Amino acid sequence: MRPPGRCGVPRASPALLLLPLLVPLLGAPRGVGAGAGASSPSELRVRVRLPDGQVTEESLQADSDADSISLELRKPDGTLISFTADFKKDVKIFRALILGELEKGQSQFQALCFVTRLHHNEIIPSEAMAKLRQKNPRAVRQAEEVRGPERMHMDIAVNFSQGALLSPHLRNVCAEAVDAIYTRQEDVRFWLEQGVDGSVFEALPKAWEQVLLPRCGQAGDRGRPCVCRYGLSLAWYPCMLKYCHSRDRPAPYKCGIRSCQKSYSFDFYVPQKQLCWHEGWSPRQLPGTHCPSPSRQGGAPPHLRHPRPYCSSFHHLIPEPLAPSPMTVKECGVARVNS
């Protein structure tokens, strides 16, 4: 192990690079330039292992000017999951774009948005995220820490036409989910205290009324109101900065990241059971049982269309050996984070 305070580069496996703040002469990562281009968001694409063992590509973008971070990944069943963190407004937005099954009378896709309060210790700052770089894009990342699952009861609807008052990102992220944007009473109270206009929020049936409703998976009548549940997982994201100590520095300094995985479950009211697509079938079914036909993909938005079939045995998602998790640091120039 390299002694602290030295500038040598240790031999390491494929790495993510965290550029320090005071190295402008080293060059900027793609998407982050100088002058007029400085406001362009930086992007990092990494291969991550999902909780079920499958491997997919994840895109992370950071905009330090807007003080925001976005993450996007596609699940093996075609669902597109995105997460947006708006640090300026203390808002985080989860969006799911779910491919429909025409044989069940569903449309080509369904969009759901869940909006909750962002706590600043949940994910690294946008400025640090913008400085992440990857040396070997073929490396498969697996989170170092699995954080406890979080279940949320979404009992308030968000008025899409007023959504920009809550976060300027909401209109773009949730454009396909105009009538399916949900949040929670406790988060609404916080935002109202911060000065957000009450016109952003719309009441749903009260919590005690929803308790009397069945889960959609247990409701018999397709036209009956029920409580729907949707779960998603952020398989890999930089959740904390790491700090190192050196004999040459009086105070700890940023030297890397810690990666996390976290699952979320959202309960929300729907006026008809048929609006809760995902209840009633098991996500553990074998690959190939929900194969999209060309007719299902043809009219979907480009980001929902598959460049290749995701049925058969997912040969393009065959897991690779995991890279080691320990992190080391090159103090002078860049901080190296071993995957």
Side-chain angles (χ1 to χ4, degrees):
M1 185 174 180
R2 182 180 57 83
R6 297 287 300 278
C7 298
V9 181
R11 282 177 283 195
S13 57
L16 293 177
L17 305 180
L18 177 62
L19 303 185
L21 303 180
L22 302 177
V23 288
L25 298 180
L26 292 179
R30 180 177 299 179
V32 180
S39 61
S40 300
S42 65
E43 181 178 18
L44 179 71
R45 292 184 177 273
V46 298
R47 301 182 72 215
V48 300
R49 193 174 302 281
L50 300 175
D52 64 1
Q54 301 287 344
V55 176
T56 190
E57 185 178 74
E58 183 176 287
S59 169
L60 300 101
Q61 290 192 350
D63 188 334
S64 53
D65 290 343
D67 200 9
S68 66
I69 289 170
S70 65
L71 177 156
E72 187 172 87
L73 64 87
R74 189 191 302 276
K75 294 170 59 179
D77 68 358
T79 300
L80 193 68
I81 301 295
S82 71
F83 166 80
T84 301
D86 182 349
F87 291 94
K88 287 185 177 181
K89 296 291 188 176
D90 298 311
V91 169
K92 61 176 184 275
I93 306 170
F94 301 89
R95 183 195 65 187
L97 293 177
I98 309 162
L99 283 176
E101 298 181 65
L102 297 186
E103 62 273 17
K104 291 186 177 181
Q106 298 172 348
S107 57
Q108 291 172 338
F109 71 95
Q110 182 186 39
L112 300 172
C113 267
F114 306 102
V115 187
T116 63
R117 178 184 175 184
L118 173 68
H119 297 274
H120 286 218
N121 61 350
E122 294 183 64
I123 193 168
I124 67 172
S126 61
E127 185 175 309
M129 182 78 84
K131 299 176 188 300
L132 285 179
R133 297 179 67 187
Q134 184 173 213
K135 183 176 181 181
N136 185 349
R138 298 298 300 171
V140 177
R141 318 285 171 184
Q142 180 157 318
E144 300 170 83
E145 177 185 340
V146 178
R147 293 190 166 179
E150 188 171 354
R151 180 179 173 183
M152 290 177 271
H153 187 77
M154 315 302 282
D155 49 6
I156 297 288
V158 176
N159 183 348
F160 177 77
S161 64
Q162 302 296 314
L165 299 176
L166 179 60
S167 170
H169 302 278
L170 192 140
R171 290 186 63 86
N172 290 329
V173 175
C174 299
E176 289 122 340
V178 174
D179 298 317
I181 310 174
Y182 305 94
T183 188
R184 303 185 295 174
Q185 283 271 11
E186 59 195 83
D187 295 328
V188 169
R189 284 194 291 268
F190 168 77
W191 291 321
L192 292 176
E193 291 173 358
Q194 303 304 307
V196 175
D197 194 277
S199 64
V200 174
F201 310 106
E202 299 177 352
L204 289 172
K206 295 181 176 60
W208 66 268
E209 295 174 335
Q210 294 189 32
V211 168
L212 302 177
L213 294 175
R215 284 282 305 277
C216 290
Q218 301 169 347
D221 186 352
R222 294 182 61 193
R224 182 181 178 182
C226 54
V227 175
C228 187
R229 176 174 296 172
Y230 186 77
L232 59 84
S233 177
L234 301 183
W236 187 97
Y237 66 97
C239 53
M240 288 188 293
L241 291 173
K242 284 190 172 182
Y243 290 83
C244 294
H245 299 267
S246 169
R247 293 190 296 268
D248 303 328
R249 299 188 181 187
Y253 60 94
K254 298 173 186 176
C255 59
I257 62 164
R258 182 173 181 82
S259 59
C260 290
Q261 171 192 311
K262 187 172 176 65
S263 297
Y264 299 86
S265 177
F266 305 96
D267 289 352
F268 57 99
Y269 167 86
V270 291
Q272 297 178 338
K273 175 185 174 180
Q274 60 190 9
L275 298 176
C276 186
W277 288 7
H278 41 277
E279 295 237 11
W281 64 277
S282 172
R284 296 184 180 180
Q285 287 173 331
L286 294 175
T289 57
H290 285 79
C291 304
S293 64
S295 62
R296 282 179 58 195
Q297 296 194 55
H303 50 281
L304 275 178
R305 296 177 190 163
H306 287 272
R308 61 182 74 123
Y310 61 80
C311 305
S312 69
S313 300
F314 299 112
H315 292 299
H316 62 293
L317 296 177
I318 294 176
E320 296 184 1
L322 293 178
S325 296
M327 299 185 178
T328 57
V329 179
K330 176 178 179 292
E331 182 185 347
C332 304
V334 293
R336 183 178 299 272
V337 183
N338 293 339
S339 60

